[in-house]
């Protein structure tokens, strides 16, 4: 029997799907911003204030969040 993911595990999983975000950074992001919604709405500058997220990583994250979906 497969145990369903807890809310915390689901939140971490969503964040870890972003480029360059692993378990440690996903926890740091949630610690600073509290919700996934606030992370998604954060500016590049705000994301850079999280330890180990520099200009390039913040730009990559915002690119994924802000890009429109295009079917192939």
């Amino acid at each position: 029997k497969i145990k369903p993911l807890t809310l915390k595990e689901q939140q971490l999983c969503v964040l870890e799907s972003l480029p360059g975000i692993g378990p440690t950074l996903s926890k740091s992001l949630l610690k600073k911003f509290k919700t996934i919604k606030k992370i998604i709405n954060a500016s590049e500058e705000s994301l850079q204030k999280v330890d180990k997220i520099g200009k390039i990583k913040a730009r990559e994250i915002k690119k994924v969040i802000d890009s429109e979906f295009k079917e192939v």
Side-chain angles (χ1 to χ4, degrees):
K1 185 176 174 182
I2 297 173
K3 188 175 128 188
L5 295 176
T6 64
L7 178 59
K8 180 180 176 179
E9 290 169 332
Q10 289 175 43
Q11 290 172 317
L12 295 172
C13 187
V14 167
L15 293 176
E16 289 170 27
S17 71
L18 294 171
I21 304 298
T24 305
L25 273 179
S26 61
K27 288 177 188 167
S28 295
L29 283 163
L30 280 170
K31 219 175 199 177
K32 177 166 178 56
F33 292 100
K34 308 294 186 218
T35 69
I36 291 175
K37 185 175 186 172
K38 288 180 184 174
I39 295 166
I40 288 171
N41 290 326
S43 66
E44 277 185 43
E45 294 77 21
S46 294
L47 290 172
Q48 289 177 43
K49 292 179 183 170
V50 175
D51 217 20
K52 304 222 175 153
I53 295 184
K55 200 175 245 186
I56 294 170
K57 197 171 283 193
R59 189 174 298 132
E60 289 172 353
I61 292 167
K62 288 305 287 181
K63 183 179 176 184
V64 169
I65 290 170
D66 295 338
S67 294
E68 288 187 20
F69 177 74
K70 295 180 182 165
E71 286 196 54
V72 185

Coordinates of all heavy atoms in Angstrom, one line a residue:
K1 N 0.9 -1.2 0.0 CA 0.0 0.0 0.0 C 0.9 1.2 0.0 O 1.8 1.4 0.8 CB -0.9 0.0 1.2 CG -1.9 1.1 1.3 CD -2.8 0.9 2.5 CE -3.7 2.1 2.6 NZ -4.6 2.1 3.7
I2 N 0.6 2.2 -0.9 CA 1.4 3.4 -1.0 C 0.8 4.5 -0.1 O -0.4 4.7 -0.1 CB 1.4 3.9 -2.5 CG1 2.1 2.9 -3.4 CG2 2.1 5.3 -2.6 CD1 2.0 3.2 -4.9
K3 N 1.7 5.0 0.7 CA 1.2 6.1 1.6 C 1.2 7.4 0.9 O 2.2 7.8 0.2 CB 2.3 6.1 2.8 CG 1.9 7.0 3.9 CD 2.9 6.9 5.0 CE 3.4 8.3 5.4 NZ 4.5 8.3 6.3
P4 N 0.1 8.2 1.0 CA 0.0 9.5 0.3 C 1.0 10.5 0.9 O 1.4 10.4 2.1 CB -1.4 9.9 0.6 CG -1.9 9.1 1.7 CD -1.1 7.8 1.7
L5 N 1.5 11.4 0.1 CA 2.4 12.4 0.6 C 1.7 13.4 1.6 O 0.6 13.7 1.4 CB 3.0 13.2 -0.6 CG 3.8 12.5 -1.6 CD1 4.2 13.4 -2.7 CD2 5.1 11.9 -1.0
T6 N 2.5 13.8 2.6 CA 1.9 14.8 3.5 C 1.9 16.2 2.7 O 2.6 16.3 1.7 CB 2.8 15.0 4.7 OG1 4.1 15.4 4.3 CG2 3.0 13.6 5.5
L7 N 1.3 17.1 3.3 CA 1.2 18.5 2.7 C 2.6 19.0 2.5 O 3.0 19.6 1.5 CB 0.4 19.4 3.5 CG 0.3 20.9 3.0 CD1 -0.3 20.9 1.6 CD2 -0.6 21.7 4.0
K8 N 3.5 18.9 3.6 CA 4.8 19.4 3.5 C 5.6 18.7 2.4 O 6.3 19.3 1.6 CB 5.5 19.1 4.9 CG 7.0 19.6 4.9 CD 7.6 19.3 6.3 CE 9.0 19.6 6.3 NZ 9.6 19.4 7.6
E9 N 5.5 17.4 2.3 CA 6.1 16.6 1.2 C 5.7 17.1 -0.2 O 6.5 17.2 -1.1 CB 5.9 15.1 1.3 CG 6.6 14.5 2.5 CD 6.2 13.1 2.9 OE1 5.0 12.7 2.6 OE2 7.0 12.4 3.4
Q10 N 4.4 17.4 -0.3 CA 3.8 17.9 -1.6 C 4.4 19.3 -1.9 O 4.8 19.5 -3.1 CB 2.3 18.0 -1.5 CG 1.6 16.7 -1.5 CD 0.1 16.8 -1.3 OE1 -0.5 17.7 -1.9 NE2 -0.5 16.0 -0.4
Q11 N 4.5 20.1 -0.9 CA 5.1 21.5 -1.1 C 6.5 21.4 -1.6 O 7.0 22.0 -2.5 CB 5.0 22.3 0.1 CG 3.6 22.7 0.5 CD 3.5 23.3 1.9 OE1 4.1 22.9 2.8 NE2 2.7 24.4 2.0
L12 N 7.3 20.5 -0.9 CA 8.7 20.4 -1.3 C 8.9 19.8 -2.7 O 9.7 20.2 -3.4 CB 9.4 19.5 -0.2 CG 9.5 20.1 1.2 CD1 10.1 19.0 2.2 CD2 10.4 21.3 1.2
C13 N 8.0 18.9 -3.0 CA 8.1 18.2 -4.3 C 7.8 19.2 -5.4 O 8.5 19.3 -6.5 CB 7.0 17.1 -4.4 SG 7.1 16.1 -5.8
V14 N 6.8 20.1 -5.2 CA 6.5 21.2 -6.2 C 7.7 22.1 -6.4 O 8.1 22.3 -7.5 CB 5.3 22.0 -5.8 CG1 5.2 23.3 -6.6 CG2 4.0 21.2 -5.9
L15 N 8.3 22.5 -5.3 CA 9.5 23.4 -5.4 C 10.7 22.7 -6.1 O 11.5 23.3 -6.8 CB 9.9 24.0 -4.1 CG 8.8 24.9 -3.5 CD1 9.2 25.3 -2.1 CD2 8.6 26.1 -4.4
E16 N 10.9 21.4 -5.7 CA 12.0 20.7 -6.3 C 11.9 20.4 -7.8 O 12.9 20.0 -8.4 CB 12.3 19.4 -5.5 CG 12.8 19.7 -4.1 CD 12.8 18.5 -3.2 OE1 12.8 17.3 -3.7 OE2 12.7 18.6 -1.9
S17 N 10.8 20.7 -8.3 CA 10.6 20.6 -9.8 C 11.2 21.8 -10.5 O 11.3 21.8 -11.7 CB 9.2 20.3 -10.2 OG 8.4 21.5 -10.0
L18 N 11.5 22.9 -9.8 CA 12.0 24.1 -10.4 C 13.5 23.9 -10.6 O 14.2 23.1 -9.9 CB 11.8 25.3 -9.5 CG 10.4 25.7 -9.3 CD1 10.3 26.8 -8.2 CD2 9.8 26.2 -10.6
P19 N 14.1 24.6 -11.7 CA 15.5 24.4 -12.0 C 16.4 24.8 -10.9 O 16.3 25.8 -10.3 CB 15.7 25.3 -13.2 CG 14.6 26.3 -13.2 CD 13.5 25.6 -12.5
G20 N 17.3 23.8 -10.6 CA 18.4 24.1 -9.6 C 17.9 24.1 -8.1 O 18.6 24.4 -7.2
I21 N 16.7 23.6 -7.9 CA 16.1 23.6 -6.5 C 16.1 22.1 -6.0 O 15.4 21.3 -6.6 CB 14.7 24.2 -6.5 CG1 14.7 25.6 -7.0 CG2 14.2 24.2 -5.0 CD1 15.6 26.6 -6.2
G22 N 16.8 21.9 -5.0 CA 16.8 20.5 -4.4 C 16.1 20.6 -3.0 O 15.5 21.7 -2.7
P23 N 16.3 19.6 -2.2 CA 15.6 19.5 -0.9 C 16.0 20.7 0.0 O 15.2 21.3 0.7 CB 16.1 18.2 -0.3 CG 16.5 17.4 -1.5 CD 17.0 18.3 -2.5
T24 N 17.3 21.0 0.1 CA 17.8 22.1 1.0 C 17.2 23.5 0.6 O 16.7 24.2 1.4 CB 19.3 22.2 1.0 OG1 19.8 20.9 1.3 CG2 19.8 23.2 2.0
L25 N 17.3 23.8 -0.7 CA 16.8 25.1 -1.2 C 15.3 25.2 -1.1 O 14.8 26.3 -0.8 CB 17.3 25.4 -2.6 CG 18.6 26.0 -2.8 CD1 18.9 26.3 -4.2 CD2 18.7 27.3 -2.0
S26 N 14.6 24.1 -1.3 CA 13.1 24.2 -1.2 C 12.7 24.5 0.2 O 11.8 25.3 0.4 CB 12.5 22.9 -1.7 OG 12.9 21.8 -1.0
K27 N 13.4 23.9 1.2 CA 13.1 24.2 2.6 C 13.5 25.6 2.9 O 12.7 26.3 3.6 CB 13.9 23.2 3.5 CG 13.3 21.8 3.5 CD 14.2 20.9 4.3 CE 13.7 19.5 4.1 NZ 14.6 18.5 4.7
S28 N 14.6 26.1 2.4 CA 15.0 27.5 2.6 C 14.0 28.5 2.1 O 13.6 29.5 2.7 CB 16.4 27.8 2.0 OG 17.4 27.1 2.7
L29 N 13.5 28.2 0.9 CA 12.5 29.0 0.2 C 11.2 29.1 1.1 O 10.6 30.2 1.3 CB 12.2 28.5 -1.2 CG 13.2 28.9 -2.3 CD1 13.0 28.0 -3.5 CD2 13.1 30.4 -2.6
L30 N 10.7 27.9 1.5 CA 9.5 27.9 2.3 C 9.7 28.6 3.6 O 8.8 29.2 4.2 CB 9.0 26.5 2.5 CG 8.3 25.9 1.3 CD1 8.0 24.4 1.4 CD2 6.9 26.6 1.1
K31 N 10.9 28.5 4.2 CA 11.2 29.1 5.5 C 11.1 30.6 5.3 O 10.5 31.3 6.2 CB 12.6 28.7 5.9 CG 12.7 28.5 7.4 CD 14.1 28.0 7.7 CE 14.1 27.3 9.0 NZ 15.4 26.8 9.4
K32 N 11.6 31.2 4.2 CA 11.6 32.6 4.0 C 10.2 33.1 3.6 O 9.7 34.1 4.1 CB 12.6 33.0 3.0 CG 12.6 34.5 2.7 CD 13.8 35.0 1.9 CE 13.8 36.4 1.6 NZ 13.6 37.3 2.7
F33 N 9.6 32.5 2.6 CA 8.4 33.0 2.0 C 7.1 32.4 2.6 O 6.0 32.9 2.3 CB 8.4 32.7 0.5 CG 9.4 33.6 -0.2 CD1 10.6 33.0 -0.6 CD2 9.2 34.9 -0.5 CE1 11.6 33.8 -1.3 CE2 10.1 35.7 -1.2 CZ 11.3 35.1 -1.6
K34 N 7.2 31.3 3.3 CA 6.0 30.6 3.9 C 5.1 29.8 3.0 O 4.6 28.8 3.4 CB 5.2 31.6 4.8 CG 6.0 32.4 5.8 CD 6.7 31.6 6.8 CE 7.3 32.5 7.9 NZ 8.6 31.9 8.4
T35 N 4.8 30.3 1.8 CA 3.9 29.6 0.9 C 4.5 29.5 -0.5 O 5.3 30.4 -0.9 CB 2.5 30.3 0.8 OG1 2.6 31.5 0.1 CG2 1.9 30.5 2.2
I36 N 4.0 28.6 -1.2 CA 4.4 28.4 -2.6 C 3.9 29.6 -3.4 O 4.6 30.1 -4.3 CB 3.9 27.1 -3.2 CG1 4.7 25.9 -2.6 CG2 4.1 27.1 -4.8 CD1 4.2 24.6 -3.0
K37 N 2.8 30.1 -3.1 CA 2.2 31.3 -3.8 C 3.1 32.5 -3.7 O 3.4 33.2 -4.7 CB 0.8 31.6 -3.3 CG 0.1 32.7 -4.0 CD -1.3 32.9 -3.5 CE -2.1 33.8 -4.3 NZ -3.5 33.9 -3.9
K38 N 3.6 32.7 -2.5 CA 4.5 33.9 -2.3 C 5.9 33.7 -3.0 O 6.4 34.6 -3.5 CB 4.8 34.1 -0.8 CG 3.6 34.6 -0.1 CD 3.8 34.8 1.4 CE 2.6 35.3 2.1 NZ 2.8 35.4 3.6
I39 N 6.3 32.4 -3.1 CA 7.6 32.1 -3.8 C 7.3 32.4 -5.3 O 8.1 33.1 -6.0 CB 8.0 30.7 -3.6 CG1 8.4 30.4 -2.2 CG2 9.2 30.3 -4.6 CD1 8.5 29.0 -1.8
I40 N 6.2 32.0 -5.9 CA 5.9 32.2 -7.3 C 5.8 33.7 -7.6 O 6.2 34.1 -8.6 CB 4.6 31.4 -7.7 CG1 4.9 29.9 -7.7 CG2 4.0 31.9 -9.0 CD1 3.8 29.0 -7.9
N41 N 5.2 34.4 -6.7 CA 5.0 35.9 -6.9 C 6.2 36.7 -6.5 O 6.2 37.9 -6.8 CB 3.8 36.4 -6.1 CG 2.5 35.8 -6.6 OD1 2.3 35.7 -7.8 ND2 1.5 35.6 -5.8
A42 N 7.3 36.1 -6.0 CA 8.5 36.8 -5.6 C 9.2 37.4 -6.8 O 9.2 36.7 -7.8 CB 9.4 35.9 -4.7
S43 N 9.9 38.5 -6.6 CA 10.7 39.0 -7.7 C 12.1 38.3 -7.7 O 12.4 37.6 -6.7 CB 11.0 40.5 -7.4 OG 11.8 40.7 -6.2
E44 N 12.8 38.5 -8.8 CA 14.2 37.9 -8.8 C 15.0 38.4 -7.7 O 15.7 37.6 -7.1 CB 14.8 38.3 -10.2 CG 14.5 37.4 -11.3 CD 15.3 37.8 -12.6 OE1 16.5 38.0 -12.5 OE2 14.7 37.8 -13.7
E45 N 14.9 39.7 -7.4 CA 15.6 40.3 -6.3 C 15.3 39.6 -4.9 O 16.2 39.3 -4.1 CB 15.4 41.8 -6.2 CG 15.9 42.6 -7.4 CD 15.0 42.5 -8.6 OE1 13.8 42.1 -8.5 OE2 15.5 42.7 -9.7
S46 N 14.0 39.4 -4.7 CA 13.6 38.7 -3.4 C 14.1 37.3 -3.4 O 14.6 36.8 -2.3 CB 12.1 38.7 -3.3 OG 11.6 40.0 -3.1
L47 N 14.1 36.6 -4.5 CA 14.6 35.2 -4.5 C 16.1 35.1 -4.2 O 16.6 34.2 -3.5 CB 14.3 34.5 -5.9 CG 12.8 34.3 -6.2 CD1 12.7 33.8 -7.6 CD2 12.3 33.2 -5.3
Q48 N 16.8 36.2 -4.7 CA 18.2 36.2 -4.5 C 18.6 36.4 -3.0 O 19.7 36.1 -2.6 CB 18.9 37.3 -5.3 CG 18.9 37.1 -6.8 CD 19.4 38.3 -7.5 OE1 20.4 38.9 -7.1 NE2 18.8 38.6 -8.6
K49 N 17.7 36.8 -2.2 CA 18.0 37.0 -0.8 C 18.0 35.7 0.0 O 18.4 35.6 1.1 CB 17.0 38.0 -0.2 CG 17.1 39.4 -0.7 CD 16.1 40.3 -0.1 CE 16.3 41.7 -0.7 NZ 15.2 42.6 -0.3
V50 N 17.6 34.6 -0.7 CA 17.6 33.3 -0.1 C 19.0 32.7 -0.3 O 19.6 32.8 -1.4 CB 16.6 32.3 -0.7 CG1 16.7 30.9 -0.2 CG2 15.2 32.8 -0.5
D51 N 19.6 32.2 0.8 CA 21.0 31.7 0.7 C 21.1 30.7 -0.4 O 20.3 29.8 -0.6 CB 21.3 31.0 2.1 CG 22.7 31.2 2.5 OD1 23.3 32.1 2.1 OD2 23.1 30.4 3.4
K52 N 22.2 30.8 -1.2 CA 22.6 29.9 -2.3 C 21.7 30.1 -3.6 O 21.8 29.4 -4.5 CB 22.5 28.5 -1.9 CG 23.4 28.2 -0.7 CD 24.2 26.9 -0.8 CE 25.1 26.8 0.3 NZ 25.7 26.2 1.0
I53 N 20.9 31.2 -3.6 CA 20.2 31.5 -4.8 C 20.8 32.8 -5.3 O 20.6 33.9 -4.7 CB 18.7 31.7 -4.6 CG1 18.1 30.3 -4.3 CG2 18.0 32.2 -5.9 CD1 16.6 30.3 -4.2
G54 N 21.5 32.7 -6.4 CA 22.1 33.9 -7.0 C 21.3 34.5 -8.1 O 20.2 34.1 -8.3
K55 N 21.9 35.4 -8.8 CA 21.2 36.1 -9.9 C 20.8 35.1 -11.0 O 19.6 35.1 -11.5 CB 22.2 37.1 -10.5 CG 21.5 38.2 -11.3 CD 22.5 39.2 -11.8 CE 22.2 40.5 -11.1 NZ 23.0 41.6 -11.5
I56 N 21.7 34.2 -11.4 CA 21.4 33.2 -12.5 C 20.3 32.3 -12.1 O 19.3 32.0 -12.8 CB 22.6 32.5 -12.9 CG1 23.6 33.4 -13.5 CG2 22.3 31.3 -13.9 CD1 25.0 32.9 -13.8
K57 N 20.4 31.7 -10.9 CA 19.3 30.7 -10.4 C 18.0 31.4 -10.3 O 17.0 30.9 -10.7 CB 19.8 30.1 -9.1 CG 19.0 28.8 -8.8 CD 19.6 28.1 -7.7 CE 20.8 27.3 -8.1 NZ 21.3 26.4 -7.1
A58 N 18.0 32.6 -9.7 CA 16.7 33.4 -9.6 C 16.1 33.6 -11.0 O 14.9 33.5 -11.1 CB 17.0 34.7 -8.9
R59 N 16.9 34.0 -11.9 CA 16.4 34.3 -13.3 C 15.9 33.0 -13.9 O 14.8 33.0 -14.5 CB 17.6 34.8 -14.2 CG 17.1 35.3 -15.5 CD 18.2 35.9 -16.3 NE 18.7 37.1 -15.6 CZ 20.0 37.3 -15.4 NH1 20.9 36.5 -15.9 NH2 20.4 38.4 -14.8
E60 N 16.5 31.8 -13.7 CA 16.0 30.6 -14.2 C 14.7 30.2 -13.6 O 13.8 29.7 -14.3 CB 17.0 29.4 -14.0 CG 18.3 29.5 -14.8 CD 19.4 28.5 -14.4 OE1 19.2 27.8 -13.4 OE2 20.4 28.5 -15.1
I61 N 14.5 30.4 -12.3 CA 13.3 30.1 -11.6 C 12.2 31.0 -12.2 O 11.1 30.5 -12.5 CB 13.4 30.3 -10.1 CG1 14.4 29.2 -9.5 CG2 12.1 30.2 -9.4 CD1 14.9 29.5 -8.1
K62 N 12.4 32.3 -12.3 CA 11.4 33.2 -12.8 C 11.0 32.9 -14.3 O 9.9 33.0 -14.7 CB 11.9 34.7 -12.7 CG 11.9 35.2 -11.2 CD 10.5 35.0 -10.5 CE 9.5 36.0 -11.0 NZ 8.2 35.9 -10.3
K63 N 12.0 32.4 -15.0 CA 11.8 32.1 -16.4 C 10.7 31.0 -16.5 O 9.8 31.0 -17.3 CB 13.1 31.7 -17.1 CG 12.9 31.4 -18.6 CD 14.2 31.1 -19.2 CE 14.0 30.6 -20.7 NZ 15.3 30.2 -21.3
V64 N 10.9 29.9 -15.7 CA 10.0 28.8 -15.7 C 8.6 29.2 -15.2 O 7.6 28.9 -15.8 CB 10.5 27.6 -14.8 CG1 9.5 26.6 -14.6 CG2 11.8 27.0 -15.4
I65 N 8.6 30.0 -14.2 CA 7.3 30.5 -13.6 C 6.6 31.4 -14.6 O 5.3 31.3 -14.7 CB 7.6 31.2 -12.2 CG1 8.0 30.2 -11.2 CG2 6.3 31.9 -11.8 CD1 8.5 30.8 -9.9
D66 N 7.3 32.3 -15.2 CA 6.6 33.3 -16.1 C 6.4 32.9 -17.5 O 5.7 33.6 -18.2 CB 7.4 34.6 -16.0 CG 7.5 35.2 -14.6 OD1 6.6 34.9 -13.8 OD2 8.4 36.0 -14.4
S67 N 7.0 31.8 -18.0 CA 6.9 31.5 -19.4 C 5.5 30.8 -19.7 O 5.0 30.0 -18.9 CB 8.0 30.5 -19.8 OG 9.2 31.1 -19.7
E68 N 4.9 31.2 -20.8 CA 3.7 30.5 -21.2 C 4.0 29.1 -21.7 O 5.0 28.9 -22.3 CB 3.0 31.4 -22.4 CG 2.5 32.7 -21.9 CD 1.7 33.4 -23.0 OE1 1.3 32.7 -24.0 OE2 1.5 34.6 -22.9
F69 N 3.0 28.3 -21.5 CA 3.1 26.9 -22.0 C 2.9 26.9 -23.5 O 2.0 27.5 -24.0 CB 2.0 26.0 -21.3 CG 2.0 24.6 -21.8 CD1 3.0 23.7 -21.5 CD2 1.0 24.2 -22.7 CE1 3.0 22.4 -21.9 CE2 1.0 22.9 -23.2 CZ 2.0 22.0 -22.8
K70 N 3.7 26.2 -24.2 CA 3.6 26.1 -25.7 C 3.6 24.6 -26.0 O 4.5 23.9 -25.7 CB 4.8 26.8 -26.4 CG 4.7 28.3 -26.1 CD 5.9 28.9 -26.8 CE 5.8 30.4 -26.5 NZ 7.0 31.1 -26.8
E71 N 2.5 24.2 -26.7 CA 2.5 22.8 -27.2 C 3.4 22.6 -28.4 O 3.5 23.5 -29.2 CB 1.0 22.4 -27.6 CG 0.2 22.2 -26.3 CD -1.1 21.5 -26.6 OE1 -1.1 20.4 -27.2 OE2 -2.2 22.0 -26.3
V72 N 4.0 21.4 -28.4 CA 4.9 21.1 -29.5 C 4.1 20.6 -30.7 O 3.2 20.0 -30.7 CB 5.9 20.0 -29.1 CG1 6.9 19.8 -30.2 CG2 6.6 20.5 -27.8

